[in-house]
């Protein structure tokens, strides 16, 4: 299928994102993170806040969500930018829980192992070369490949393996695949990379629509592996574009390019990014589904905005200076970031222990609507670190 590439309608004018504003954002984020270091040591924030406050979840039997890695990742990012040992100590302390969880196979039968283990175990290994962290990350990769389905060549997202109602991939998995690329690099065993490459190739052929928009999920025929149909789980409808799904594409294809160096991922990035940018409202922070605009009365999803910024920064390193859109992408990233720092942090919500307000976890499920969510906080913090420390080596 030949994909169209939209012309970007905005962002041709230079945007100033000052160091001062970035440091203001960082300072406010660190003051919330500092408060959280007193609460979330043995416990983790739940995926979404309730009235701006994250409830905790124990690092034990009930530790069943896919998002704990983001809190540990926030600690690693805070350590990266401040070099304050207090963050590193808590993040290192938490490794044991991740190791026990993958050994016990506690709530790990899903595709989200990259979200759990990259910002935690892999981040620790990349920061400190800790052998135990490396082994923990490899165990997670080993488990993730058990979800690879030969018929259709993809990693099954959720549910019982091979059950026809769950025989599908989802675009979010773009961010889990780097766990496999990394595992091949550190073990020398090509099997992880081969599976990751097959999955991302299948996703490239199916979830991206002709106009550069994306499906959230894509079903396959269990017997033949033939692609069947796109559908949504968290978007407004099967044929609309869930904003965070599009953002997972904007960050995931550049990450695939980082490891595989196949130019087709640059082209895919451009298509999904141009589509996303053309759907942004006045203040550049997307609604939770790209079918909504400023007249809709719907909620924003600041987490999708933060992920999109990281995706643009990731790809910007790989675009030629003579690429006419390179500047436009950076203007857009700066404009989104400026809006997030100026309008969407919790700095005036004294009680809140989140960083970014106005995210949506899943509106169709009435989960975390207009709340903070922990991955939004993580990617916001990653974007701050990326802007302030351009030589930062990312965890993905
Ligand atoms: N499953 C990841 C998300 O909700 O974006």
């Amino acid at each position: 299928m030949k994909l169209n590439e939209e012309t970007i309608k905005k962002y041709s004018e230079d945007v100033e994102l000052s160091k001062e504003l970035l440091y203001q954002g960082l300072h406010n984020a660190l003051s919330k993170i500092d408060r959280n270091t007193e609460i979330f040591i043995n416990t983790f924030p739940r995926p979404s806040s309730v009235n701006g406050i994250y409830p905790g979840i124990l690092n034990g039997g009930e530790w069943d969500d896919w998002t704990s890695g983001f809190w540990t990742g926030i600690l690693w990012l805070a350590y990266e930018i401040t070099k304050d040992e207090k963050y590193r100590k808590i993040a290192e302390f938490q490794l044991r829980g991740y190791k026990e969880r993958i050994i016990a196979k506690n709530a790990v039968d899903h595709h989200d192992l990259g979200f759990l283990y990259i910002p935690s175990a892999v981040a620790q290994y990349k920061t400190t070369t800790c052998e135990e962290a490396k082994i923990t990350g490899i165990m997670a990769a080993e488990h993730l490949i058990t979800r690879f389905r030969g018929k259709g060549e993809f990693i099954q997202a959720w549910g019982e393996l091979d059950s026809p109602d769950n025989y599908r991939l989802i675009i979010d998995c773009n961010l889990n695949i780097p766990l496999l690329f990394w595992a091949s690099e550190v073990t020398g065993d090509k099997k992880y990379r081969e599976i990751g490459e097959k999955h991302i190739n299948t996703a490239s052929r199916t979830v991206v629509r002709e106009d550069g928009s994306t499906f959230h999920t894509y079903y396959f025929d269990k017997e033949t592996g033939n692609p069947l149909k796109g559908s949504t789980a968290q978007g407004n409808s099967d044929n609309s574009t869930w904003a965070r799904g599009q953002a997972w594409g904007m960050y995931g294809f550049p990450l695939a390019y980082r490891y595989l160096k196949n130019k087709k991922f640059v082209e895919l990035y451009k298509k999904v990014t141009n589509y996303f940018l053309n759907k942004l409202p006045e203040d550049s922070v997307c609604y939770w589904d790209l079918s909504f605009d400023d007249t809709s009365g719907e909620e924003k999803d600041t987490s999708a905005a933060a992920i999109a910024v990281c995706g643009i920064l990731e790809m910007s390193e790989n675009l030629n200076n003579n690429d006419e859109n390179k500047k436009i992408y950076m203007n857009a990233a700066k404009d989104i970031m400026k809006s997030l720092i100026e309008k969407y942090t919790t700095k005036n919500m004294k009680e809140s222990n989140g960083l970014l307000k106005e995210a949506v976890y899943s509106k169709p499920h009435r989960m975390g609507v207009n709340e903070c969510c922990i991955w939004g906080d993580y990617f916001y913090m990653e974007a701050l670190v990326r802007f302030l420390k351009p030589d930062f080596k990312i965890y993905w």
Side-chain angles (χ1 to χ4, degrees):
M1 175 170 67
K2 173 98 179 74
L3 300 178
N4 288 327
E5 188 174 310
E6 292 192 359
T7 304
I8 305 169
K9 298 184 192 119
K10 259 169 86 175
Y11 306 113
S12 51
E13 278 175 33
D14 285 355
V15 175
E16 158 139 21
L17 177 64
S18 67
K19 278 255 150 71
E20 196 189 341
L21 186 68
L22 287 164
Y23 275 112
Q24 233 177 65
L26 181 67
H27 174 80
N28 291 328
L30 287 172
S31 71
K32 300 281 180 176
I33 294 167
D34 283 352
R35 261 172 51 196
N36 286 341
T37 57
E38 287 159 27
I39 315 167
F40 300 122
I41 298 170
N42 266 313
T43 63
F44 292 88
R46 278 279 187 187
S48 298
S49 65
V50 178
N51 298 323
I53 299 170
Y54 288 115
I57 181 168
L58 270 179
N59 175 3
E62 65 155 351
W63 190 29
D64 60 357
D65 67 64
W66 57 277
T67 56
S68 322
F70 294 115
W71 167 237
T72 311
I74 287 170
L75 291 166
W76 281 116
L77 291 168
Y79 173 69
E80 178 71 37
I81 197 86
T82 64
K83 294 294 168 211
D84 187 329
E85 291 289 327
K86 74 179 174 206
Y87 304 116
R88 170 179 162 146
K89 280 192 185 133
I90 301 172
E92 285 182 335
F93 168 78
Q94 290 177 344
L95 179 69
R96 199 184 63 201
Y98 290 96
K99 186 174 169 192
E100 285 170 1
R101 180 168 172 176
I102 194 67
I103 289 172
K105 305 285 184 288
N106 175 21
V108 289
D109 288 330
H110 51 69
H111 72 110
D112 284 322
L113 297 184
F115 287 131
L116 276 168
Y117 284 87
I118 292 173
S120 58
V122 175
Q124 180 165 342
Y125 173 68
K126 288 190 175 175
T127 311
T128 69
T129 71
C130 166
E131 196 61 19
E132 197 182 357
K134 180 171 104 178
I135 290 164
T136 303
I138 294 167
M139 283 192 290
E142 194 66 44
H143 194 61
L144 182 55
I145 61 173
T146 64
R147 298 193 71 77
F148 181 70
R149 305 291 89 197
K151 293 265 173 64
E153 301 200 326
F154 66 96
I155 288 173
Q156 186 182 319
W158 304 301
E160 198 188 323
L161 287 174
D162 294 331
S163 71
D165 54 337
N166 269 311
Y167 208 70
R168 61 173 160 174
L169 61 77
I170 67 173
I171 194 165
D172 322 28
C173 196
N174 273 18
L175 272 277
N176 291 320
I177 296 305
L179 180 67
L180 302 181
F181 297 145
W182 167 81
S184 274
E185 277 185 2
V186 293
T187 61
D189 185 338
K190 293 195 187 97
K191 72 179 174 194
Y192 308 103
R193 180 185 162 107
E194 282 167 7
I195 287 177
E197 188 166 7
K198 282 183 178 157
H199 174 93
I200 196 78
N201 283 337
T202 305
S204 305
R205 285 194 303 270
T206 52
V207 287
V208 185
R209 302 188 189 106
E210 206 173 336
D211 61 0
S213 66
T214 53
F215 291 110
H216 180 195
T217 87
Y218 211 95
Y219 281 97
F220 297 81
D221 184 301
K222 192 181 103 48
E223 305 306 329
T224 63
N226 290 339
L228 288 178
K229 60 169 184 172
S231 78
T232 200
Q234 285 160 259
N236 190 40
S237 75
D238 287 346
N239 292 319
S240 70
T241 301
W242 179 46
R244 198 158 63 251
Q246 192 81 7
W248 292 136
M250 285 170 68
Y251 198 0
F253 291 128
L255 289 173
Y257 181 72
R258 173 181 277 264
Y259 287 96
L260 301 173
K261 293 287 175 275
N262 184 332
K263 286 273 182 217
K264 87 172 174 190
F265 296 114
V266 179
E267 296 313 310
L268 280 161
Y269 161 82
K270 288 182 175 176
K271 285 165 175 87
V272 297
T273 301
N274 295 13
Y275 185 91
F276 180 88
L277 296 181
N278 281 340
K279 291 287 180 281
L280 292 184
E282 185 61 31
D283 73 358
S284 293
V285 172
C286 54
Y287 287 88
W288 66 272
D289 192 283
L290 298 184
S291 57
F292 300 128
D293 63 18
D294 282 336
T295 63
S296 64
E298 290 289 337
E299 292 79 12
K300 298 287 180 96
D301 179 8
T302 53
S303 76
I307 296 160
V309 171
C310 291
I312 294 175
L313 296 182
E314 172 68 20
M315 187 47 95
S316 133
E317 296 167 22
N318 298 305
L319 296 180
N320 289 330
N321 285 336
N322 59 7
D323 187 318
E324 55 178 342
N325 279 341
K326 183 170 175 155
K327 193 91 202 295
I328 291 179
Y329 292 135
M330 277 311 287
N331 288 341
K334 288 180 188 168
D335 208 50
I336 299 169
M337 197 62 187
K338 201 166 167 210
S339 215
L340 289 177
I341 300 173
E342 286 176 347
K343 290 178 56 187
Y344 292 95
T345 72
T346 56
K347 67 173 185 284
N348 295 325
M349 294 166 65
K350 269 204 161 19
E351 300 302 315
S352 177
N353 58 1
L355 307 186
L356 270 191
K357 60 183 183 178
E358 296 188 43
V360 171
Y361 182 177
S362 181
K363 184 128 185 212
H365 301 94
R366 306 261 154 229
M367 280 159 65
V369 177
N370 199 20
E371 289 288 346
C372 308
C373 65
I374 194 65
W375 58 91
D377 291 356
Y378 170 86
F379 287 104
Y380 172 64
M381 189 66 186
E382 184 182 308
L384 285 169
V385 174
R386 277 176 172 271
F387 273 116
L388 288 167
K389 206 174 171 213
D391 63 344
F392 163 57
K393 303 265 179 294
I394 61 158
Y395 308 140
W396 303 96

